[in-house]
Amino acid sequence: MIKVQTGQGEITISSAVFTTITGAAATNCFGVKGMAYRSMTDGLVHLLRREAMSKGVKVTYNEDGTVSIELHIVVENGVNIATVCRSIMSEVKYVVTKNTGVEVREVNVCVDSVTV
């Protein structure tokens, strides 16, 4: 959880809020098929359903009040992966800051798979 001090009091934002906002922002970008999750039992990459996309997001709270976000995604075949990742980084940074008021220090995108 992250705590934001305001003139009127304190706001506490849970990890679930960040993962939900981040997952929705990332999957709305062109070329993203969905969020990915690597299974520890079989080592395979699984495409997550909309309800479980928070498993593909890791949020780290920094001491300076910012957050760092790591995303695991599956992209569509034929897209420019670097361009898609830059788009995701920009969109996630903007949407998270706009919706929570918390500054995003960095967004790291891991492309785990490409679908045909």
Side-chain angles (χ1 to χ4, degrees):
M1 288 201 199
I2 193 164
K3 296 179 187 210
V4 179
Q5 274 304 122
T6 66
Q8 299 172 325
E10 184 176 83
I11 300 170
T12 305
I13 304 170
S14 73
S15 297
V17 171
F18 284 103
T19 56
T20 302
I21 291 170
T22 301
T27 53
N28 284 336
C29 291
F30 174 78
V32 178
K33 190 70 173 173
M35 302 303 291
Y37 175 73
R38 185 174 301 275
S39 172
M40 292 301 195
T41 55
D42 57 13
L44 298 175
V45 174
H46 301 279
L47 183 64
L48 296 170
R49 293 188 312 267
R50 213 104 173 118
E51 312 83 55
M53 71 179 147
S54 62
K55 286 184 181 178
V57 179
K58 180 183 174 195
V59 178
T60 306
Y61 302 105
N62 304 312
E63 291 182 17
D64 61 354
T66 62
V67 293
S68 297
I69 299 171
E70 182 178 310
L71 300 165
H72 292 267
I73 61 167
V74 177
V75 297
E76 295 175 1
N77 187 32
V79 298
N80 184 320
I81 294 174
T83 303
V84 169
C85 290
R86 277 193 294 276
S87 172
I88 291 168
M89 289 173 182
S90 174
E91 181 72 9
V92 165
K93 203 171 201 178
Y94 171 74
V95 170
V96 169
T97 302
K98 180 182 151 231
N99 287 309
T100 64
V102 176
E103 184 183 341
V104 178
R105 181 190 291 177
E106 64 183 355
V107 178
N108 297 312
V109 180
C110 304
V111 179
D112 289 349
S113 185
V114 177
T115 61
V116 184

